[in-house]
Amino acid sequence: MNGAILVLIGAILFSAKAVVVKLTYQFPLGAVTSLFFRMLFAFPFLVWIAYREEKKEGATRIERKEWISVISMGIVGYYLASLFDFVGLQYITAGLERIILFVYPTLVVVLSFFFLKTKIHFKEIFSLLLTYTGVGIAYSQDLKVGETKDVTLGAFFILLSALTYAIYLMGSGKMIPRLGAKRYTAYALAISSLVVFLHFALFGRYEELIQPFEFYILAFFMGTVNTVLPAIFVSEGIERVGSKAAAIIGSVGPMSTLFLAYWFLGETITFFHIIGTVFVLSGVFLIGNQKKPKQIAT
């Protein structure tokens, strides 16, 4: 299959996760239980992918220090990011969730400025203004249909999710080229699954494990079609078309979530939602098109 098509399908499937999560909240359960079932159904496939990638000819051995990095980034980038995301989705629409989550490239720029002392140029400042103006526009529209306290709380948790994912990207920059995107992602997701299982064992509500059959179908769909398949498709697509092209194609995510949420959840799409999304996409594109300084081999 063409690499661009793989990335496109992967982006749409992954973005649809927010819609499926919202559908699970129609049943009597909380965020932790929904996340538990997502990772429960995804875990066997993730272990299989990691095992297959590990046995490939030429696969590099993971050193002890590298395992520490993989484990810590799995906890930050997938456990915490997913937990914050699922909690936030209890309070805000799926459409706003995807718009806020998509700001993570701008958060990488901000974090790099504060912790890596990387300079921020005018083009990046302009892109930050565009991005967060877009988020503000979309946020203001949700305030009209929801309680201010709930929308603000939900937006805060989703922003935390984007922040932890940005930290994951910064911490994984050297490891992904060495281990390969698919192998690294499989390990990180599998590790996050184990942490989610531990979290549920300690703090979960066991009575929420018993749900109608329709819920388990949704949970299986969320764990496989919205988690495992997108990870495979996007990884394969990046190998064929490159990360820059994949990022551009993947920008279909926020817009596709708006329409999927409209069809399946009855969420309202306003003119200002679309304007906000366009602002966010424009800002992220400007960040993504920044020229990077050439690396000097040592």
Side-chain angles (χ1 to χ4, degrees):
M1 191 181 294
N2 182 277
I5 295 176
L6 285 172
V7 174
L8 179 64
I9 295 173
I12 293 173
L13 291 179
F14 189 72
S15 297
K17 177 216 58 175
V19 176
V20 180
V21 173
K22 295 289 284 186
L23 288 173
T24 67
Y25 289 157
Q26 296 176 359
F27 298 91
L29 51 75
V32 174
T33 306
S34 183
L35 178 58
F36 169 78
F37 275 107
R38 176 203 185 192
M39 304 317 295
L40 180 67
F41 286 117
F43 186 68
F45 298 98
L46 296 170
V47 171
W48 174 74
I49 293 170
Y51 175 79
R52 192 185 67 172
E53 293 297 309
E54 193 70 40
K55 294 300 179 181
K56 274 188 176 179
E57 186 177 349
T60 57
R61 182 175 177 270
I62 304 177
E63 305 294 337
R64 181 178 297 178
K65 290 183 179 179
E66 293 174 329
W67 272 118
I68 295 174
S69 176
V70 174
I71 292 171
S72 59
M73 287 302 100
I75 293 172
V76 171
Y78 285 111
Y79 162 65
L80 285 179
S82 296
L83 181 62
F84 292 145
D85 185 38
F86 275 60
V87 172
L89 278 167
Q90 293 180 119
Y91 303 101
I92 64 173
T93 62
L96 180 60
E97 179 258 10
R98 187 53 44 180
I99 293 172
I100 297 175
L101 271 186
F102 206 70
V103 307
Y104 68 85
T106 66
L107 293 175
V108 172
V109 172
V110 174
L111 290 172
S112 298
F113 172 75
F114 283 108
F115 297 103
L116 302 180
K117 306 304 178 183
T118 304
K119 291 182 179 180
I120 296 184
H121 302 287
F122 174 77
K123 186 177 179 180
E124 292 171 319
I125 293 174
F126 181 65
S127 68
L128 291 173
L129 289 173
L130 268 180
T131 301
Y132 293 105
T133 298
V135 170
I137 292 171
Y139 169 76
S140 67
Q141 292 303 294
D142 275 45
L143 286 178
K144 294 179 180 179
V145 296
E147 293 290 334
T148 300
K149 181 180 178 181
D150 287 348
V151 175
T152 302
L153 182 61
F156 173 72
F157 274 111
I158 301 303
L159 189 60
L160 282 181
S161 178
L163 178 63
T164 48
Y165 189 67
I167 294 171
Y168 162 79
L169 290 178
M170 292 180 65
S172 305
K174 293 182 179 179
M175 292 294 295
I176 291 177
R178 173 170 154 72
L179 301 183
K182 194 186 303 182
R183 182 184 179 199
Y184 185 86
T185 301
Y187 272 124
L189 276 168
I191 289 165
S192 73
S193 300
L194 295 175
V195 181
V196 169
F197 299 157
L198 178 62
H199 185 147
F200 185 83
L202 294 175
F203 305 107
R205 298 177 180 176
Y206 290 92
E207 64 273 15
E208 293 182 351
L209 293 175
I210 308 301
Q211 297 291 337
F213 180 73
E214 292 82 357
F215 166 79
Y216 300 115
I217 297 296
L218 279 175
F220 180 79
F221 190 89
M222 180 168 55
T224 54
V225 178
N226 297 131
T227 304
V228 177
L229 279 183
I232 296 173
F233 284 2
V234 172
S235 297
E236 290 285 348
I238 289 174
E239 289 181 4
R240 301 182 190 189
V241 301
S243 58
K244 189 171 183 178
I248 294 173
I249 298 166
S251 64
V252 72
M255 200 63 77
S256 69
T257 303
L258 282 177
F259 288 104
L260 288 171
Y262 169 77
W263 287 324
F264 292 101
L265 301 174
E267 293 184 4
T268 303
I269 302 177
T270 69
F271 171 75
F272 289 101
H273 277 119
I274 295 176
I275 291 296
T277 303
V278 170
F279 270 54
V280 170
L281 293 180
S282 300
V284 170
F285 275 145
L286 283 176
I287 290 287
N289 287 327
Q290 284 288 90
K291 292 183 179 179
K292 297 179 181 179
K294 292 183 179 179
Q295 296 286 334
I296 300 175
T298 58

